[in-house]
């Protein structure tokens, strides 16, 4: 997206980093560049406002639910496992486990599914 007007920071670059800005994950100098851009560019400011409103709505609607401790533990363990594999150069395989709620209210665990992401990444890196 581009408004067509010249800016020190291009609209595409601003929108590429919009979520980092919204989540306060940018250095202050980069934040300042985006603030200047928003002051100059109404289409980007509108997009920023929309994304900010969506994040606030999600936070209000879902912010009170606690993450189950076992799910949090599994996610953190998986992140550690993936990081360890990337450091040693191992192929990355992600297993997704899901639980399906039946109409009777009983939870049924589905079989894990694996996806060899490393092979796909290696194929795209070779291109």
């Amino acid at each position: 997206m581009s408004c067509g007007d010249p800016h020190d920071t291009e609209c595409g670059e601003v929108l590429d980093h919009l979520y980092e800005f919204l989540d306060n994950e940018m250095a202050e100098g980069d934040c300042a560049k985006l603030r200047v851009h928003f002051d100059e560019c109404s289409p980007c400011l509108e997009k920023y406002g929309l994304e900010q409103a969506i994040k606030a709505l999600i936070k209000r609607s879902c912010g009170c639910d606690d993450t189950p401790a076992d799910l949090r533990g599994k996610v953190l363990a998986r992140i550690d496992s993936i990081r360890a594999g990337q450091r040693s150069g191992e192929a990355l395989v992600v297993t997704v486990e899901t639980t399906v709620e039946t109409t009777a209210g009983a939870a049924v665990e589905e079989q894990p599914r694996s996806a060899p992401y490393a092979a796909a990444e290696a194929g795209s890196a070779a291109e």
Side-chain angles (χ1 to χ4, degrees):
M1 176 181 133
S2 177
C3 67
D5 294 331
H7 300 285
D8 289 339
T9 307
E10 294 293 322
C11 295
E13 181 182 346
V14 169
L15 296 178
D16 286 345
H17 297 284
L18 182 58
Y19 290 105
E20 293 170 62
F21 181 78
L22 285 167
D23 295 336
N24 297 315
E25 296 175 345
M26 296 181 80
E28 183 52 41
D30 294 331
C31 287
K33 286 186 348 184
L34 266 63
R35 283 189 210 100
V36 167
H37 185 92
F38 292 137
D39 288 342
E40 300 172 347
C41 182
S42 60
C44 288
L45 179 61
E46 183 178 331
K47 179 71 173 168
Y48 164 74
L50 176 64
E51 295 299 328
Q52 188 178 38
I54 290 170
K55 283 183 65 76
L57 176 63
I58 291 170
K59 185 176 183 177
R60 271 196 323 271
S61 300
C62 305
C64 57
D65 296 335
D66 289 332
T67 305
D70 62 328
L71 174 61
R72 181 175 172 75
K74 286 180 183 178
V75 169
L76 292 174
R78 192 66 182 140
I79 290 170
D80 289 341
S81 170
I82 290 169
R83 285 182 177 157
Q86 288 175 340
R87 282 192 293 266
S88 66
E90 296 174 5
L92 175 61
V93 176
V94 176
T95 302
V96 178
E97 296 179 22
T98 58
T99 302
V100 178
E101 189 81 18
T102 65
T103 56
V108 177
E109 191 168 308
E110 291 185 343
Q111 294 296 326
R113 291 179 227 131
S114 296
Y117 290 102
E121 289 178 357
S124 64
E127 294 174 0

